[in-house]
Amino acid sequence: MTTQPGITSGTYVVQVGQTLWENLPQLLWGALLFTLVCIPASFLFTLRLFIPTLLVASITIGPAWTALLAFEMRLLQGRVPRQFSLFDDFRQSWRRSAVLSLLTIFPLLALITTLPALQSPPVAPIVWIGLAADLLGCAVMATLSFYAFPSLLQHPHQGVRAAIRDALILASRHPANSLGLLAIGILFSFCIAYISPALLLLLPTVYALFIAANHLLVLQKEAHHKSVPQSAVH
């Protein structure tokens, strides 16, 4: 496979679509492995054990998500990853990805504990304030995750705190990119909810491709701004 040209704002969507089309078998393989890792958390979710679902997801789906991003980032860069490189990336990034996932799900845990209070009217104003804060926290952590998980890949020896710091820098400098990824995530969620849950087999992998491409794009933009902190450029 030839090396892909650098991603720009004008070619972002085109290159994501091109990568998806040209590497569909590899992406389907990644989707299959990612889906298999999601089974334990999915089973707990069907039992309505929401807090255990999030905890199990943080130690399984989180590292698998990092491995999937690494797999797709290689495809976007024109490299052909080994068939089982997903397992290697999962193993190597497991600890840091699990810690980052636990931090990411914290607002969701707070949201789950707040929701039962809505079932007992009249609902106190403090509950609505708490609910709004939880939703805001979920949006903020989702936005940071767009950059924090890929940052773990860019710096194999970097700690979670440094990854979150870099994520804060990139998210604040590229708000339009962050809002775009949030919009795509909401759109895909509606597709899964209102079209078919079977889309869960493919859409997370496609979404990861958008996130991986966005990270390469913002890093390329940052490389042109010498005033950016060194940790956010590399």
Side-chain angles (χ1 to χ4, degrees):
M1 182 181 296
T2 57
T3 303
Q4 297 289 338
I7 298 176
T8 66
S9 299
T11 63
Y12 172 74
V13 176
V14 172
Q15 287 192 237
V16 168
Q18 182 179 351
T19 302
L20 177 62
W21 176 256
E22 293 180 352
N23 301 278
L24 189 57
Q26 294 95 322
L27 290 171
L28 290 176
W29 168 250
L32 173 62
L33 295 180
F34 182 75
T35 301
L36 291 176
V37 175
C38 293
I39 289 177
S42 300
F43 176 72
L44 292 173
F45 182 80
T46 59
L47 298 178
R48 303 181 67 83
L49 300 173
F50 300 123
I51 292 180
T53 295
L54 292 176
L55 295 177
V56 171
S58 67
I59 62 175
T60 55
I61 297 178
W65 183 250
T66 303
L68 185 62
L69 288 172
F71 186 80
E72 297 188 349
M73 205 169 290
R74 296 187 185 101
L75 293 176
L76 286 162
Q77 294 171 328
R79 295 182 287 162
V80 180
R82 293 184 299 103
Q83 188 176 21
F84 294 99
S85 63
L86 279 161
F87 295 103
D88 295 333
D89 292 323
F90 181 91
R91 185 185 70 256
Q92 293 170 7
S93 64
W94 182 86
R95 184 182 62 82
R96 294 184 302 149
S97 298
V99 172
L100 181 57
S101 299
L102 285 170
L103 295 175
T104 304
I105 68 171
F106 183 78
L108 284 174
L109 291 172
L111 180 62
I112 289 175
T113 58
T114 302
L115 288 177
L118 300 177
Q119 300 175 358
S120 304
V123 179
I126 189 64
V127 175
W128 290 112
I129 295 174
L131 181 63
D134 294 339
L135 291 174
L136 178 61
C138 289
V140 169
M141 291 309 298
T143 302
L144 292 181
S145 72
F146 297 150
Y147 305 97
F149 282 99
S151 182
L152 293 179
L153 303 172
Q154 296 294 318
H155 305 276
H157 304 292
Q158 177 176 268
V160 173
R161 181 181 300 179
I164 294 176
R165 178 198 62 208
D166 288 352
L168 284 167
I169 295 172
L170 294 174
S172 62
R173 289 181 60 87
H174 304 278
N177 298 58
S178 305
L179 290 174
L181 289 175
L182 279 175
I184 293 173
I186 293 172
L187 174 62
F188 282 1
S189 298
F190 277 112
C191 289
I192 292 168
Y194 293 104
I195 297 178
S196 173
L199 291 173
L200 274 170
L201 299 175
L202 181 61
L203 287 188
T205 302
V206 177
Y207 193 35
L209 193 61
F210 277 100
I211 293 173
N214 174 74
H215 193 70
L216 294 175
L217 172 62
V218 297
L219 288 183
Q220 189 163 295
K221 288 182 177 180
E222 290 295 307
H224 292 87
H225 297 278
K226 296 181 180 180
S227 61
V228 176
Q230 195 70 14
S231 61
V233 173
H234 295 291

